[in-house]
Amino acid sequence: MTITEERLDQVELQDLNGLAKTDIDDVLDYVHVPTAKIPPYLELYDRYLRQRWNVNDLDFTQDRIDWTERMNDDSRNSFLSIASGFHHGERQVEAELAPLFFGIPEDYKVFLTSHLEDEARHTVFFDRFYRDVVGLEGDGIMDVLDGSWGYIQETFVGPFGLLAYLTDDLRRDPYNKHLQMKYATTYMIWIEGVLALSVMKITLNYARDFKVLPAYYTGFTATCRDEARHVQGGMRFVRQLLDEDPNYVTDIHDTLRTLLTMGAARSGYVYYEPLGWSEERVQALFMDQLHKKLAMVGVSLPADLENMLSMVKPTLAGG
Amino acid sequence: MSSFMSASWADEVKDRINSWPDAERRATKLDDFWDWIEMVKPFVVGRLALSVRDMPPDCEADTLCLDLESGSVVTATVCNRADTEAEAVFLMAGSYTDWMALVDGYDVGKMVMYRKLMLEKGDTLQFFTAAFYWTELLAAIQSVPTAASDGKLIKV
């Protein structure tokens, strides 16, 4: 289904109060535009200025009541298994962005400042949620992250460790366009474009359908709208690199080959059922999201990668 | 008890990696996870060097060299980084403080994710194709009882 102009405007223009009533599916549709319609970087920056929200405007009082009185142990555990991936993922994508600044187009640098600020705000959003709703304590951001680490599967380290190490590669050689492409494939296509946008839907649909966690729903829907800008900026950058040299597509494929190899591993089950989902449905979302991102940049998957994609275990969250 | 970065410690590390995981560790994860590691093992070939950037003076060595064949350790030695770097397919390095935290039980996933160990030589994509083999290798090293270079007990 293609999002209508009216619904797109609704997603585009809402403030936090409006986002509380916005359907997450509309926000997810809002991400995907054809290559020719991906907004220029400065237009994305302008959107940021209009869409920026204040994490301190959220009141988690009702969420705390829902968490302790209306959700059961199974729901809380499933929720934390998924949300903790974002708790850690947002920190990772905040901490790993800086080296990209050096070697990118000037307009993208301006937009990337907003991207970085968004990720810091998302990190604080999850910090507030884990403190005010889940009840974790700690002196700083890392204390609370350590508190939710137990919900993270070993396989989480695959894509996020790869991002950390590619960040270090890029720090050492920031103008290397092969490295930039590998980094953008890991960060903007896979982590933000596939993992995050797939798994966001699960906890948000749960909160919407069961009418719980209103501040979480509002803040995370706003987060999702922010991610739409990041993904569009990233896809524009990927497309620019491909326009410079179509051979960079090999870097996309090689990076996906590593990500999909890791994606076939899982160390434990995530029980989606208490939140109204199944593993098969999440896996289908992963496949759909990757195909949509690649369509945005005009890249197809060779047969071996299509086959690997069908074997990905959807146990990871994103950032 | 063997000292960290000593020849006897390297021998114990070799035995531990080659018998990894023990039943207790295996039970903490799905069989799928161990099957995945078996799947990638044939591609784990060559030398992995694990190095300490700021080893205290008067230590025997600053680098553990593991020669791997299909994911098994064929030889394990300690040496100085300069003597092995050229031969290593992958070289990971961290500070002495972070290495002590690892052998004391710090989470191996965080060691990677927070770059407490950094890949200072080798192709990053190729390395991560066997990502969980490497994190389990670190877990195996972590499980070996070790004394710090000054003789202080780190891990029993």
Side-chain angles (χ1 to χ4, degrees), chain A residues 96 146 164-165 169 261 267, chain B residues 30 36 110 115 117-118 124:
Chain A
E96 309 296 4
D146 284 343
Y165 281 34
D169 291 342
T261 300
S267 54
Chain B
L30 292 176
W36 186 92
K110 289 182 182 175
R115 281 197 298 272
L117 279 178
M118 293 163 78
T124 301

Side-chain angles (χ1 to χ4, degrees), chain A residues 12 39 48 74-75 111 180 220 227 249 269 286 292 308:
Chain A
E12 173 114 12
Y48 157 80
D74 286 347
S75 300
F111 172 64
Q180 290 176 351
F220 205 28
E227 300 295 349
V249 74
Y269 289 116
F286 274 33
K292 282 179 171 168
M308 290 172 80

Side-chain angles (χ1 to χ4, degrees), chain A residues 91-92 96 142 146 149 154-158 161-162 164-165 168-169 172 182 255 258 261-262 264-269, chain B residues 28-30 32-33 36 39 92 107 109-115 117-120 123-125 127-129 131-132 135:
Chain A
R91 183 267 171 200
Q92 291 303 109
E96 309 296 4
M142 193 51 79
D146 284 343
W149 181 255
E154 285 83 353
T155 47
F156 181 86
V157 174
L162 174 61
Y165 281 34
D168 204 46
D169 291 342
R172 287 190 288 246
K182 291 172 185 172
T255 307
T258 294
T261 300
M262 293 190 289
R266 65 174 162 190
S267 54
Y269 289 116
Chain B
T28 63
K29 297 174 181 51
L30 292 176
D32 283 7
F33 182 77
W36 186 92
M39 178 187 79
M92 299 181 82
D107 187 277
K110 289 182 182 175
M111 286 296 292
V112 172
M113 212 171 76
Y114 296 156
R115 281 197 298 272
L117 279 178
M118 293 163 78
L119 188 63
E120 297 192 353
D123 182 84
T124 301
L125 291 183
F127 181 82
F128 273 87
T129 301
F132 313 120
T135 50

Side-chain angles (χ1 to χ4, degrees), chain B residues 10 13-20 37 40-50 64-77 84 87-92 119 126-127 130 133-138 140-141:
Chain B
V13 164
K14 174 187 170 187
D15 293 343
R16 189 62 59 96
I17 293 171
N18 287 342
S19 61
W20 196 257
I37 287 180
V40 301
K41 268 186 175 180
F43 306 101
V44 179
V45 176
R47 176 165 292 184
L48 170 69
L50 296 165
L64 171 67
C65 303
L66 301 174
D67 290 315
L68 298 156
E69 186 63 48
S70 295
S72 292
V73 181
V74 180
T75 59
T77 55
T84 194
E87 286 180 66
V89 177
F90 296 116
L91 187 147
M92 299 181 82
L119 188 63
Q126 188 189 350
F127 181 82
Y133 171 85
W134 302 121
T135 50
E136 284 305 308
L137 179 140
L138 293 175
I141 293 172

